[in-house]
Amino acid sequence: TQSSILIWGLNLYWVLIFKKKIRLEIQNSYTPEIVSLSKRLNSVIHGWYNYLGKYCSSEAFRKGINYVNLKFV
Protein backbone atom coordinates (compact mmCIF):
# COMPACT_ATOMS: atom_id res chain seq x y z
CA THR A 1 0.00 0.00 0.00
CA GLN A 2 0.97 3.62 -0.29
CA SER A 3 1.44 4.09 3.45
CA SER A 4 3.87 1.16 3.69
CA ILE A 5 5.87 2.59 0.78
CA LEU A 6 6.01 5.95 2.57
CA ILE A 7 7.14 4.32 5.82
CA TRP A 8 9.83 2.29 4.05
CA GLY A 9 11.01 5.43 2.24
CA LEU A 10 11.35 7.30 5.53
CA ASN A 11 13.22 4.39 7.09
CA LEU A 12 15.61 4.30 4.14
CA TYR A 13 16.12 8.06 4.41
CA TRP A 14 17.07 7.80 8.10
CA VAL A 15 19.43 4.89 7.44
CA LEU A 16 21.23 6.93 4.79
CA ILE A 17 21.50 9.91 7.17
CA PHE A 18 22.85 7.62 9.89
CA LYS A 19 25.44 6.12 7.54
CA LYS A 20 26.55 9.59 6.48
CA LYS A 21 26.95 10.67 10.11
CA ILE A 22 29.00 7.56 10.93
CA ARG A 23 31.15 8.05 7.84
CA LEU A 24 31.86 11.67 8.82
CA GLU A 25 32.75 10.69 12.39
CA ILE A 26 35.23 8.10 11.10
CA GLN A 27 36.76 10.50 8.56
CA ASN A 28 37.09 13.29 11.13
CA SER A 29 38.71 11.00 13.69
CA TYR A 30 42.29 12.07 14.23
CA THR A 31 43.27 9.15 16.39
CA PRO A 32 43.97 5.59 15.25
CA GLU A 33 42.84 4.18 18.60
CA ILE A 34 39.74 2.06 18.28
CA VAL A 35 38.68 2.81 21.86
CA SER A 36 38.40 6.56 21.36
CA LEU A 37 36.68 6.14 17.99
CA SER A 38 34.19 3.68 19.47
CA LYS A 39 33.38 6.18 22.23
CA ARG A 40 32.65 8.86 19.63
CA LEU A 41 30.52 6.48 17.58
CA ASN A 42 28.73 5.24 20.69
CA SER A 43 27.22 8.66 21.28
CA VAL A 44 26.03 8.82 17.66
CA ILE A 45 24.51 5.35 17.84
CA HIS A 46 22.79 6.03 21.16
CA GLY A 47 21.37 9.31 19.92
CA TRP A 48 20.14 7.72 16.72
CA TYR A 49 18.54 4.83 18.58
CA ASN A 50 16.89 7.02 21.23
CA TYR A 51 15.45 9.46 18.73
CA LEU A 52 14.50 7.15 15.88
CA GLY A 53 14.12 3.80 17.61
CA LYS A 54 10.48 4.56 18.25
CA TYR A 55 9.69 5.44 14.65
CA CYS A 56 11.96 3.36 12.44
CA SER A 57 11.59 -0.34 11.91
CA SER A 58 13.98 -2.79 13.49
CA GLU A 59 15.21 -3.66 9.99
CA ALA A 60 16.28 -0.06 9.46
CA PHE A 61 18.15 -0.08 12.75
CA ARG A 62 19.80 -3.40 11.87
CA LYS A 63 21.00 -1.98 8.54
CA GLY A 64 22.57 0.97 10.33
CA ILE A 65 24.31 -1.22 12.89
CA ASN A 66 25.52 -3.60 10.18
CA TYR A 67 27.11 -0.65 8.43
CA VAL A 68 28.99 0.29 11.62
CA ASN A 69 30.15 -3.31 12.08
CA LEU A 70 31.43 -3.51 8.51
CA LYS A 71 33.38 -0.27 8.95
CA PHE A 72 35.23 -1.76 11.93
CA VAL A 73 36.13 -5.05 10.25
Side-chain angles (χ1 to χ4, degrees):
T1 65
Q2 190 174 8
S3 64
S4 64
I5 292 172
L6 177 63
I7 291 170
W8 176 245
L10 287 173
N11 285 339
L12 180 60
Y13 170 78
W14 289 116
V15 169
L16 294 175
I17 295 295
F18 176 72
K19 286 181 177 182
K20 183 177 181 179
K21 178 72 174 168
I22 293 294
R23 191 176 321 114
L24 288 174
E25 285 291 329
I26 292 171
Q27 289 173 352
N28 293 335
S29 174
Y30 298 110
T31 178
E33 295 179 13
I34 191 98
V35 174
S36 62
L37 179 59
S38 64
K39 286 180 182 179
R40 289 178 67 180
L41 292 179
N42 192 29
S43 65
V44 174
I45 294 168
H46 273 269
W48 184 68
Y49 178 76
N50 288 336
Y51 184 70
L52 297 174
K54 299 176 186 176
Y55 307 108
C56 283
S57 67
S58 59
E59 182 178 349
F61 184 72
R62 182 180 48 80
K63 286 185 179 195
I65 294 301
N66 284 345
Y67 178 78
V68 173
N69 288 335
L70 289 175
K71 284 295 189 180
F72 275 106
V73 172

